[in-house]
């Protein structure tokens, strides 16, 4: 109205300096990097000759002004960074003061404000790389076993999210999935470990192996999330050499009687199942010596040696047997580097000789160049044999063994001319026993195997037990004797989680008597000072005969460098060794993995607010926190004195002196192993005007697209004396992939995305605005970051991990179930390859077609289908490996063992599915190439066969008693079985094999599948304390007032032995005979209110696969303010406690903090039960008021299954006393239950305990209605009531 009096409106304006653009935002500490700076200022014109650029206190060099604008004032220039700077963030400046045309009255300080341009710059230590191994053959193989990969440790390298962030090159060959591939990566404390395959090279020599970061540039510390920055190139190189490896003879085995067919040795056996002689050759002229050579000239693989005659083979291969030559009877290539020869004698040779034989090979008969390898060979008379009944014993104190020498008669006199040797040692004693039919029996005492040249490998030493002539040491006959040493610790490594050790021994042990089915024992039985070093309650579990898993107990002190000492009672698995002495091994550090650090706090405060920022890091022991401010020297000096994980500034935040400034608070966490986290920052704007604050839960999130995402912002009114009304909220996407579904934006401060709706590999930044409904000028905005990583590819071969077939059956293998979990089964982007190997008793060789001896051809598809007869019967399994790959992703493999028998056997397969057990435990999940099964899961097993009439039976290895119907309700006979893993049935951390046997007409087929029992989180504690703003300061008050005080429930120090980085926490309590469980979340603390009385606090820690700790307990003593003041029960409605509780509920609703409503309603309802009479008006009014607030909160909340379950539990509390529920309360409760049920999708799981809560609530409502009708009937009979109204 123009005629109305004028109204003055005012608002606060915060002026900020124009942004400075720096490209790149970082540079090497070595200096010399070219940086481009674009900036504006408010001063006058300047002279380019006077420009100076500083990085901290150090001046840059070669400053060049590229462009200058007079209006508005802006300049674009380049400068080179100074050398010798420390790594880290510095404040840089462009100094124009000396060149500004200043007014005479302008002070230097004013000139600095107008003409100095400030910017942030980060110096980094140049990356470096180490590669292992440093050499490869021209075909790319790096080991004799045929491995073709290298491990590249890149230090001072950025963190990587996927393989697409790293480029690896060998010279000019980039690993693009064709030449070679990046196979895997792991972020470490100061860089990344990359595994890559090695490409083949056309020639020998050295090339540069280069690793370069090509991922998205991360914002520098303190920068706004979602902003785009240019960083300097991060790369490093090391020398890598291609060289021809020396040819070697990997095995030399002789058979007097050869198998018929294409080879003398068939899978390591001579004819009639005889064992070959190693590094020996008979001189009788029959049989053949089979040699396996590796690293033969590559060109030899192109020559079809197997079809050449002996004369033709001699053009390529020459075998020298001392002064004579061998005759190569057969030759064939096994893969590209191995050559198998069968060699006979060319003439008579003298037995008893030990000689150095040699093999020379040339790839081209016209070339004089040859590769040569030598090997030891003993010429023996195979008619004379040395046999012993017990050819093994301990390294010290071995008992005498009986030795029989056939076809060689000795008398006590002639024995004096003989010697018996055990490797380099002479027998301690030799006693003649008898000589019958030309054979001699001796009793020989082995010497102690303790000489300087005596050593064991894998706990044993196989030495030659030989009988020789004393005069010339020529051999008569020999055999192998094995010495067994006591088990010794070969390694002890602390897992990265810090909650467990993996201890390895040099051999299989007797597990100190622990049976395979019950491999867990107290660690005091194994180690000295177990409680002091490993912690009270530490558990040792034998995961294999040579491997011990140690779950650390409370108070563990073990750390890298600690020495573990055995207690001296361990023996070898065969019980032949002496007991282990008190040997020890130093604890090796874990793979250096940085602790994950999270900061939680508001990103905007006002002049009246306090500030609470909490830091939490994943570590089972105390963490050291270092706080700093990146852009304010005064505040940084204050933060230097802050210790612990809590930063609290009281109202007004005097330490943050400048209003309108965004303070960049940084934290670094260092765990007990000395590993430091990345610098994590939170930017806090101290704005000039009052505004509500926001803090996100979780503070940020890294997840995968198969997980639901729920973030909740906790809103708090300004502490300034302003009017308070309901807050308004609005979400927006700041940056990230474009396919964010609109349904994800919830009304209010909660944001939810259903599983499989976000983009894998994407980083999202969302902003939440909050304002006071009656005063929109009171507003603030905070940002929240969501990182969606890639899931690992999944490789799977149908039918189990092993199978048994007949040689005349088809071989069908399918990896079609392999997938990229971020896409779907049948992803056209997946590539497949297969390989097959089999042992010949000494070496692993490529599989061959049975009929031709050619290497088995395998397809580049998801399935393998081989004709009957393709594979020959073998005592060793054919190992088929399917490799699944995809561009930019780490390839994965699945393996299946195929046993081929000569006799007919039914071909059978097994499949397994997991479901939640009776106690609501999750089923199982796949992690890498392992299937993790949670204790308490129900395993559904199904058998199938291509033959009719097969009888099936099921078993577990290690053996588990499946005769109990509670464990195997369908029994163990039949095509379908169910195993219900009750508590204690399966040992956490142990590998089990599901075994299926199929019998048909007396023939038995076998299929197997391996599973691992998931270990729950470990290492931490949970407790409850009365909440004190800013933290308890180390003290923990276990008392408080009901409904007035708040209580902090915290879990700290937890980590997962299986390596999961994200854990979930579920809190609850028991009071007044009722149990309340809250919804689980990734936040390790909750602030709650409690009812009157002794409160038992409960907590569980859960990993992403669903394995949970046992329920952890603490207790609190809670009183009521009304009771302390002497108030009667009937006065409760007017008590301070109730008014406080209702006021808190209303404020929570105003702030949109709907999660707090359930917590406060539960404690208020239980306290009301304690201080009000059942059925009283006061009690009924309280219950009705509480139900109204639950209904309002439920309408505003994201109704996940966890929230629904929590709400049903709270409703059950309201109905504990049916007499308190009037008809309106019962009616609204029924409507609320129906609404909650309808909101759940059909696929969402609701635990049985939640269903029981709903049933309990309905039962209470029915009881309440009955009471109401009865009361109304009684009143009507007395003439005071109305039945129909009731």
């Amino acid at each position: 109205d123009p005629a109305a009096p004028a109204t003055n409106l005012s608002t606060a304006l915060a002026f900020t300096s124009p942004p400075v653009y720096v490209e790149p935002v970082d540079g090497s500490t070595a200096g010399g990097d070219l940086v481009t700076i674009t900036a504006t200022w408010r001063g006058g014109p300047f002279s380019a000759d006077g420009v100076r650029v500083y990085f901290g206190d150090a001046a840059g060099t070669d400053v060049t002004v590229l462009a200058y604008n007079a209006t508005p004032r802006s300049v674009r220039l380049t400068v080179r960074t100074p050398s010798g700077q420390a790594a880290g963030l510095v404040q840089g400046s462009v100094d124009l003061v000396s060149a500004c045309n200043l007014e005479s009255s302008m002070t230097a300080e004013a000139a600095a404000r107008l003409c100095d341009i400030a910017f942030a710059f980060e110096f980094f230590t140049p990356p470096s790389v180490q590669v292992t191994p440093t050499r490869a053959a021209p075909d790319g193989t790096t080991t004799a076993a045929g491995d073709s990969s290298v491990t590249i440790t890149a230090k001072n390298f950025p963190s990587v999210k996927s393989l697409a962030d790293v480029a690896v090159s060998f010279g000019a060959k980039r690993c693009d999935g064709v030449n070679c591939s990046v196979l895997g990566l792991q972020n470490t404390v100061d860089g990344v470990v990359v595994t890559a395959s090695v490409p083949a090279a056309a020639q020998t020599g050295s090339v540069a192996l280069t690793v370069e970061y090509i991922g998205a540039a991360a914002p520098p510390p303190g920068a706004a999330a979602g902003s785009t920055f240019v960083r300097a190139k991060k790369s490093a190189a090391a020398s890598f050499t291609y060289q021809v490896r020396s040819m070697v003879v990997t095995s030399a085995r002789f058979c007097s009687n050869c198998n018929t067919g294409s080879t003398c040795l068939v899978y390591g056996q001579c004819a009639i199942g005889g064992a070959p002689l190693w590094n020996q050759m008979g001189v009788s002229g029959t049989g053949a010596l089979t040699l396996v050579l590796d690293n033969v000239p590559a060109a030899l693989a192109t020559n079809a040696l197997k079809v050449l005659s002996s004369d033709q083979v001699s053009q390529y291969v020459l075998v020298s047997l001392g002064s004579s030559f061998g005759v190569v009877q057969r030759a064939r290539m096994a893969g590209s580097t191995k050559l198998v020869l069968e060699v006979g004698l060319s003439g008579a040779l003298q037995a008893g000789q030990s000689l150095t034989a040699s093999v020379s090979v040339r790839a081209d008969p016209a070339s004089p160049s040859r590769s040569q390898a030598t090997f030891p060979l003993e010429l023996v008379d195979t008619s004379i044999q040395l046999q012993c009944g017990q050819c093994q014993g301990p390294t010290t104190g071995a008992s005498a063994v009986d030795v029989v020498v056939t076809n060689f008669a000795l008398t006590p006199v002639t024995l004096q001319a003989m010697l018996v040797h055990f490797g380099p040692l002479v027998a301690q004693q030799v006693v003649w026993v008898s000589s019958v039919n030309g054979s001699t029996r001796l009793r020989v005492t082995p010497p102690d195997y303790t000489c300087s040249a005596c050593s064991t490998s894998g706990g044993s030493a196989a030495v030659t037990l030989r009988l020789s002539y004393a005069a010339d040491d020529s051999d008569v006959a020999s055999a192998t004797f094995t010495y067994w040493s006591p088990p010794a610790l070969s390694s002890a490594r602390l897992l990265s989680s810090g909650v467990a050790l993996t201890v390895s021994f040099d051999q299989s042990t007797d597990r100190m008597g622990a049976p395979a089915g019950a491999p867990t024992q107290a660690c005091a039985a194994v180690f000295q000072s177990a409680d002091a070093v490993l912690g009270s309650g530490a558990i040792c579990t034998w995961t294999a005969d040579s491997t011990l898993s140690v779950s650390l107990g409370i108070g563990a002190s073990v750390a890298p460098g600690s020495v573990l000492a055995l207690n001296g009672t361990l023996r070898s698995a065969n019980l032949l060794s002496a007991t282990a002495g008190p040997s020890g091994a130093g604890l090796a550090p874990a793979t250096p993995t940085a602790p994950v650090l999270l900061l939680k706090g508001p990103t905007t405060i006002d002049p009246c607010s306090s500030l609470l920022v909490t830091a939490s890091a994943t570590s089972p022991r105390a963490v050291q926190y270092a706080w700093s401010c990146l852009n304010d020297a005064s505040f940084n000096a204050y933060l230097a004195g802050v210790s612990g994980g809590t930063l609290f500034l009281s109202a007004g935040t005097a330490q943050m002196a400048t209003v309108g400034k965004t303070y960049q608070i940084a934290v670094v966490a260092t765990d007990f192993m000395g590993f430091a986290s990345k610098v994590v920052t939170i930017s806090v704007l101290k704005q000039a005007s009052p505004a509500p604050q926001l803090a996100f839960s979780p503070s940020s999130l890294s997840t995968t697209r198969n997980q639901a995402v729920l973030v909740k912002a906790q809103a708090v009114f300004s502490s300034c004396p302003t009017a308070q009304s309901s807050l308004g909220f609005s979400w927006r996407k700041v940056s990230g992939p474009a396919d964010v579904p609109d349904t994800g934006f919830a009304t209010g401060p909660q944001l939810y995305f259903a599983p499989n709706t976000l983009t894998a590999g994407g980083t999202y930044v969302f902003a939440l605005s909050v304002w006071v409904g009656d005063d929109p000028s009171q507003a603030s905005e905070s940002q929240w970051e969501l990182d969606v990583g890639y899931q690992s590819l999944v490789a799977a071969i149908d039918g189990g991990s092993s199978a048994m077939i007949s040689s005349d059956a088809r071989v069908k293998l399918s990896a079609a179930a392999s997938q990229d979990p971020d896409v779907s089964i049948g992803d056209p982007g997946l590539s497949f390859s297969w390989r097959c190997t089999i042992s010949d008793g000494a070496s692993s060789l490529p599989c061959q077609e049975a009929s031709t001896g050619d290497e088995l051809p395998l397809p580049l598809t998801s399935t393998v289908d081989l004709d009957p007869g393709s594979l020959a019967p073998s005592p060793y399994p054919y190992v088929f490996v399917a490799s699944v790959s995809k561009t930019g992703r780490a390839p994965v493999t699945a393996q299946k063992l195929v046993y081929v028998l000569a006799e007919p056997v039914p071909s059978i397969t097994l499949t397994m599915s997991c479901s939640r057990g009776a106690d609501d435990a999750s089923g199982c999940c796949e992690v890498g190439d392992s299937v993790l099964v949670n204790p308490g899961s129900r395993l559904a097993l199904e058998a199938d066969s291509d033959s009719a009439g097969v009888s099936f039976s099921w078993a577990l290895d290690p053996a588990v008693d499946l005769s109990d119907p509670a464990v195997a309700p369908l029994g163990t006979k039949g095509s379908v079985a169910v195993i219900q893993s009750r508590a204690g049935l399966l040992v956490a951390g142990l590998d089990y094999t599901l075994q299926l046997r199929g019998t048909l007409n007396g023939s038995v087929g076998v299929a197997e599948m391996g599973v691992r029992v998931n270990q729950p989180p470990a290492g931490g504690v949970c407790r409850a304390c009365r909440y004190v703003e800013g933290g308890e300061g180390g003290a923990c008050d276990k008392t408080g007032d009901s409904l007035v005080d708040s209580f902090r429930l915290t879990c700290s120090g937890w980590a997962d032995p299986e390596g999961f980085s994200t854990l979930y926490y579920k809190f609850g309590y028991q009071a007044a005979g009722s149990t309340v469980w809250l919804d689980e979340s990734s936040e390790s603390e909750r602030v709650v209110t409690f009812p009157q009385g002794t409160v038992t606090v409960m907590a569980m820690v859960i990993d992403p696969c669903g394995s949970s700790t046992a329920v952890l307990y603490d207790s609190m003593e809670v009183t009521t303010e009304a009771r302390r003041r002497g108030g009667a029960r009937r006065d409760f409605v007017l008590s301070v406690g109730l008014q406080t509780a209702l006021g808190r509920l209303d404020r929570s609703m105003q702030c949109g903090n709907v999660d707090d409503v359930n917590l406060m309603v539960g404690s208020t309802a239980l306290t009301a039960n304690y201080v009000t009479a059942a059925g009283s008006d006061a009690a009924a009014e309280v219950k009705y008021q509480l139900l109204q607030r639950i209904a309002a909160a439920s309408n505003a909340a994201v109704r996940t299954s966890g929230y629904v379950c929590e709400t049903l539990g709270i409703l059950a509390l309201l109905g504990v006393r049916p007499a308190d529920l009037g008809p309106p309360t019962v009616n609204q409760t029924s409507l609320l239950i129906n609404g909650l049920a309808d909101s759940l999708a059909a696929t969402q799981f609701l635990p049985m305990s939640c269903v029981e809560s709903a049933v309990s609530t309905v039962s209470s409502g029915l009881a309440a209605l009955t009471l109401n009708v009865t009361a109304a009937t009684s009143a009507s009979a007395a003439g005071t009531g109305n039945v129909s109204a009731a």
Side-chain angles (χ1 to χ4, degrees), residues 296-308:
V296 299
L300 194 65
T302 62
N303 298 311
L305 293 180
K306 60 180 177 295
V307 300
L308 299 179

Side-chain angles (χ1 to χ4, degrees), residues 467-676:
L467 177 66
S468 69
Y469 291 100
D472 60 4
D473 200 32
S474 61
D475 291 345
V476 176
S478 64
T480 299
F481 183 89
T482 303
Y483 280 105
W484 290 93
S485 61
L489 288 169
S490 60
S491 67
R493 184 169 295 277
L494 189 66
L495 300 187
S496 298
S497 62
V499 298
L501 310 176
T502 296
V503 179
S504 298
F505 296 87
D506 65 346
Q507 60 184 286
S508 295
T509 73
D510 67 345
R511 303 184 177 210
M512 293 189 173
T520 299
Q521 56 191 173
C523 290
V526 185
F527 298 105
Q528 298 179 21
S529 306
D531 284 353
V533 177
L534 304 177
S536 175
I539 296 297
C540 288
T541 301
W542 292 96
T543 56
D545 286 347
S546 61
T547 307
L548 189 66
S549 175
V550 181
S551 296
L552 297 179
I554 298 173
S557 62
V558 65
S562 299
V563 175
L564 297 178
L566 295 175
N567 67 12
T569 59
L570 194 65
R571 297 180 67 186
S572 60
N574 55 18
L575 302 179
L576 290 174
S577 78
T579 57
S583 62
L587 185 66
T591 301
T593 302
V596 178
L597 174 63
L598 293 177
L599 295 183
K600 182 179 180 181
T603 56
T604 302
I605 59 174
D606 61 27
C608 310
S609 301
S610 59
L611 175 66
L612 175 64
V613 179
T614 58
S616 60
T618 54
S619 174
R621 301 188 209 170
V623 174
Q624 301 296 322
Y625 296 96
W627 297 78
S628 62
C629 180
L630 302 179
N631 62 342
D632 189 284
S634 176
F635 192 33
N636 183 64
Y638 172 81
L639 292 178
V642 175
S643 61
T646 301
L647 168 65
F648 178 72
L649 305 180
S650 58
T653 57
Q655 296 85 349
M656 302 167 68
T658 305
V659 174
K661 180 172 182 175
T662 298
Y663 290 83
Q664 298 168 1
I665 300 173
V667 186
V668 173
T670 304
D671 65 16
F672 74 100
M673 291 184 283
F675 299 154

Side-chain angles (χ1 to χ4, degrees), residues 312-350:
Q312 292 172 311
V313 169
S314 64
Q315 300 178 51
Y316 297 90
V317 181
L318 181 65
V319 178
S320 172
L321 304 176
S323 59
S324 180
F325 292 99
V327 177
V328 179
Q329 300 167 345
R330 291 192 183 104
R332 62 181 175 85
M333 292 297 298
S336 60
T337 64
K338 289 185 172 64
L339 175 64
V340 181
L341 303 174
E342 291 182 12
V343 182
L345 294 175
S346 61
L349 291 175
Q350 180 68 39

Side-chain angles (χ1 to χ4, degrees), residues 932-997:
L932 291 180
V933 175
N934 290 324
S937 295
R938 182 184 295 111
L939 309 182
L941 310 174
E942 185 173 356
D944 193 17
S945 175
D946 57 3
S947 303
V950 176
S951 299
F952 298 104
S953 62
W954 301 87
L956 273 174
D957 182 30
V960 172
D961 183 8
L962 301 181
S963 62
D964 185 351
V967 176
L970 301 182
T972 59
K973 308 293 184 182
S975 61
V976 177
V978 171
I979 298 176
Q980 177 58 58
S981 173
R982 56 176 167 77
L985 183 72
L986 302 180
V987 178
L990 202 62
D991 293 307
Y992 288 84
T993 301
L994 296 166
Q995 297 178 329
L996 170 65
R997 295 171 64 87

